[in-house]
Amino acid sequence: MIQDPLADRLEVGIELYFANASDRLLMSGDHMRADYDEVGVMKQYATDSGVPSNIIFLDHAGLSTYESMWRAKELYGAERVLIVTQKYHLYRALYVAQELGLDAYGVSADLRPYRGQILREAREVVARVKDF
């Protein structure tokens, strides 16, 4: 089962794809264990929603925002990115992407209140210090 924040990111990303905001999707997430394939589940969600499999690219080692943005640029050749994430995280994602030289834009995927949001926001404060 996909957690609400991740499902909302996927929903918004899929909507943007069908609105022609992008011609491909790069899904970044954790797949460091054989029994946990976050990006595979994300891809299945998108293909079940009608997104063609061949336009979905998977970053299996997206364990941090910095790593995901670096890999988007250096491994996937991205120059311009449309980042879809929750608002609390969007500021840092845009900062990291722009510092890496990406032409970056963001869209908030806050479609509902989320359980555990206080913990996510506290973690974000620490992550902002690290990335700065």
Side-chain angles (χ1 to χ4, degrees):
M1 183 174 166
I2 296 180
Q3 296 179 349
D4 291 345
L6 179 56
D8 290 352
R9 291 177 197 165
L10 290 167
E11 285 296 326
V12 171
I14 291 165
E15 286 176 20
L16 289 166
Y17 168 76
F18 285 118
N20 296 315
S22 179
D23 61 355
R24 67 199 76 155
L25 299 175
L26 173 59
M27 298 180 175
S28 186
D30 186 357
H31 185 194
M32 301 308 289
R33 295 186 335 247
D35 64 334
Y36 186 79
D37 182 5
E38 185 176 44
V39 291
V41 171
M42 293 164 66
K43 181 176 183 175
Q44 187 63 55
Y45 189 98
T47 57
D48 288 349
S49 298
V51 177
S53 179
N54 66 318
I55 65 95
I56 301 172
F57 299 86
L58 302 180
D59 173 13
H60 292 273
L63 301 178
S64 75
T65 301
Y66 176 86
E67 289 171 347
S68 294
M69 295 302 150
W70 183 89
R71 295 160 73 76
K73 181 179 180 186
E74 300 298 329
L75 299 180
Y76 294 93
E79 296 175 2
R80 177 184 285 174
V81 293
L82 181 57
I83 301 167
V84 177
T85 190
Q86 275 65 36
K87 185 177 179 180
Y88 78 92
H89 176 243
L90 192 54
Y91 304 109
R92 180 168 57 95
L94 285 167
Y95 169 80
V96 169
Q98 290 167 355
E99 288 296 307
L100 289 170
L102 289 162
D103 185 14
Y105 302 88
V107 176
S108 173
D110 290 308
L111 302 181
R112 66 186 110 200
Y114 305 109
R115 282 176 293 172
Q117 188 59 31
I118 293 172
L119 180 59
R120 284 186 195 88
E121 290 179 16
R123 182 179 169 272
E124 183 65 16
V125 170
V126 174
R128 285 180 183 174
V129 171
K130 175 188 69 85
D131 282 346
F132 180 74

